[in-house]
Amino acid sequence: MIKTVTFLVLAIFFVSCNSKLGHRNADYIIQNVKMFDGDDVYSNSTIIIQNGNIQKIYTNQNTSFSGENVIDGRGLMVIPGLIDAHVHLETIKQGKEAVRAGVLTVLDMAHFSDSIIPSIKALRKLGDSLNYLPYFYSSGNPVTVPNGHGLQFHPYETVSTVDELPSFIKKRVNEGSDFIKIMIERQGGKLSIITNEMIGASIRLANDHDLMAVAHISERSYAIEASRMGINGLCHFWYKNFKYGDTSRISKEELDILINNQVFVIPTISIWKQIGERWGAFDIESMKEEIGKVHEAGIPILAGTDAPGFDMNFGAVLHEEMQYLSECGISNLDVLKTATSNVSKAFSLGGKGFIKEGGSADLLLIDGDPSEDISTISEITGIWKKGVKIKQ
């Protein structure tokens, strides 16, 4: 028995010494920190960062590494880099704003490029190669019709018939689109709206190219119809008490349609709040109740902002969006998932939105605990992208 105990003590000492020796050349060690890894929260963790990746994670145990590369994480929390699931990124300045606020990945929900605005492929290459710009994914030119939604912002290419869709979608694929977005918006009859036949064909063609399809919606009836046809996700949310929209609330039968078709929702409360403050168009509190109902039904909620609409700041507005989502009755832990793992799972982004051994070191260090108080999400004391500490 004594020999066994002695052996165990020596083994622990040996592992401990070798562990320290093995991590002596680490780029950073964040030690004894609370961690949200995208799925769960661990009260006492240590993360070893080396060569841009997470080399090792210790959970639920104290460590005693020392050196200039060691960061004392006591009283702090480390979380994955945030993901904004709905932006319209066009400039390098906007990208820098996002990263400085801890938003390390953005999903561009309709992209227009010209001699001034970089292309999808250019922005993706910059995001992958430069630490001060976010990882970039985009739908590219959306599926919209003449006088359809989106044309008030850019002269997007349009489609008029189902027969035009195969070449239109193929062009998006060649341009580097990561998914296809369909504009379903009539704006009270002011805009021309795409037909159901074109919506269905767009979804099928996207799937034929192994791409997802998401839909811009602002009315409940269109959200349900698109879900019936196989849409993967809904961008924005439906109004209540909006003079042009469908004012009824979602029913249990309609929730089942979203659930059975595995549809996710990106509510973008931030942009609706801006619209409401300017035009008083609808009851934002009723919208929050509906979002809470959708979440309670088990439908994935993704955090997105629609920045830079109404000159919203890239990055910082996502912190506000997360606060709004908590006001929908969503727990703090689940709100963290809306801007990390939920987006990663919905859009198949691999390790983004997670903290895992072997994954890229895309991390935020928070002075506080957003799993207990989501308002602390903006108290960022450190940002790492690919293991490189970002100057704030």
Side-chain angles (χ1 to χ4, degrees):
M1 180 68 180
I2 295 174
K3 289 183 178 180
T4 301
V5 172
T6 303
F7 176 79
L8 287 173
V9 170
L10 288 173
I12 292 169
F13 175 77
F14 180 76
V15 170
S16 175
C17 290
N18 275 317
S19 173
K20 289 185 179 182
L21 286 171
H23 301 314
R24 183 173 291 169
N25 296 321
D27 298 323
Y28 292 96
I29 298 176
I30 306 174
Q31 183 168 249
N32 301 326
V33 67
K34 196 169 186 178
M35 178 181 71
F36 166 66
D37 70 351
D39 288 320
D40 299 304
V41 173
Y42 299 88
S43 60
N44 197 11
S45 303
T46 294
I47 301 173
I48 313 296
I49 303 171
Q50 190 165 10
N51 298 325
N53 294 321
I54 298 170
Q55 184 188 66
K56 181 69 179 177
I57 299 173
Y58 298 95
T59 58
N60 300 323
Q61 59 180 294
N62 288 313
T63 57
S64 56
F65 296 108
S66 61
E68 294 182 355
N69 63 341
V70 178
I71 298 168
D72 183 1
R74 286 174 294 183
L76 308 177
M77 188 176 203
V78 66
I79 68 172
L82 299 177
I83 307 173
D84 192 328
H86 190 137
V87 304
H88 298 281
L89 189 143
E90 297 179 344
T91 69
I92 300 301
K93 178 183 177 182
Q94 292 169 345
K96 289 180 178 179
E97 281 181 356
V99 170
R100 284 197 297 267
V103 181
L104 304 188
T105 304
V106 297
L107 274 60
D108 182 85
M109 285 293 171
H111 191 72
F112 177 80
S113 62
D114 57 15
S115 59
I116 298 175
I117 301 173
S119 68
I120 295 172
K121 292 179 180 178
L123 285 169
R124 181 179 299 119
K125 184 176 181 180
L126 290 171
D128 288 343
S129 61
L130 299 175
N131 294 302
Y132 56 83
L133 293 179
Y135 302 113
F136 182 80
Y137 299 86
S138 180
S139 68
N141 193 116
V143 181
T144 191
V145 296
N147 191 43
H149 184 66
L151 297 177
Q152 64 269 51
F153 306 114
H154 287 297
Y156 290 116
E157 182 181 346
T158 63
V159 286
S160 300
T161 67
V162 170
D163 292 339
E164 295 174 2
L165 281 167
S167 61
F168 178 92
I169 298 296
K170 178 63 174 176
K171 186 174 182 180
R172 306 288 78 83
V173 172
N174 292 338
E175 290 170 346
S177 292
D178 300 286
F179 45 92
I180 299 299
K181 185 180 180 184
I182 306 166
M183 297 295 201
I184 311 176
E185 177 65 68
R186 59 180 172 176
Q187 207 174 90
K190 296 179 181 179
L191 300 175
S192 299
I193 191 163
I194 190 170
T195 66
N196 282 352
E197 186 183 13
M198 293 175 73
I199 294 169
S202 297
I203 294 170
R204 290 192 299 273
L205 287 164
N207 295 163
D208 287 345
H209 289 283
D210 295 323
L211 298 181
M212 293 195 317
V214 299
H216 165 105
I217 56 91
S218 62
E219 297 181 44
R220 182 193 53 79
S221 57
Y222 288 130
I224 300 305
E225 190 60 32
S227 298
R228 282 197 181 101
M229 289 189 281
I231 205 74
N232 296 103
L234 301 172
C235 302
H236 304 304
F237 208 76
W238 47 91
Y239 324 133
K240 182 179 186 295
N241 297 331
F242 185 68
K243 63 182 178 179
Y244 298 128
D246 187 331
T247 60
S248 61
R249 296 199 175 204
I250 192 166
S251 66
K252 173 64 168 61
E253 292 73 22
E254 290 169 335
L255 280 172
D256 286 341
I257 292 170
L258 300 185
I259 294 167
N260 294 335
N261 288 282
Q262 299 181 320
V263 178
F264 59 82
V265 179
I266 312 171
T268 64
I269 303 171
S270 297
I271 198 70
W272 291 126
K273 192 170 185 295
Q274 293 287 331
I275 292 170
E277 288 175 354
R278 284 162 172 76
W279 299 313
F282 62 95
D283 180 357
I284 192 74
E285 295 307 315
S286 293
M287 178 179 283
K288 289 178 183 177
E289 289 179 19
E290 284 284 275
I291 294 168
K293 186 190 297 184
V294 168
H295 167 73
E296 189 176 352
I299 296 161
I301 301 293
L302 280 54
T305 63
D306 209 7
F310 296 104
D311 297 320
M312 291 189 295
N313 178 278
F314 264 78
V317 70
L318 184 62
H319 305 163
E320 296 178 7
E321 181 73 19
M322 295 171 76
Q323 181 66 53
Y324 298 149
L325 288 172
S326 74
E327 295 168 4
C328 298
I330 302 174
S331 71
N332 291 315
L333 179 60
D334 283 340
V335 170
L336 283 174
K337 292 179 181 180
T338 69
T340 54
S341 54
N342 281 8
V343 188
S344 185
K345 291 174 183 177
F347 284 89
S348 301
L349 303 183
K352 294 178 177 64
F354 292 94
I355 299 175
K356 302 292 183 187
E357 288 185 358
S360 180
D362 302 323
L363 309 170
L364 308 184
L365 192 60
I366 309 293
D367 185 6
D369 182 354
S371 71
E372 297 291 338
D373 179 2
I374 200 64
S375 68
T376 63
I377 193 67
S378 59
E379 302 299 321
I380 301 173
T381 64
I383 301 171
W384 289 263
K385 182 168 181 263
K386 292 186 176 180
V388 175
K389 200 165 191 292
I390 303 299
K391 184 177 179 180
Q392 293 177 255

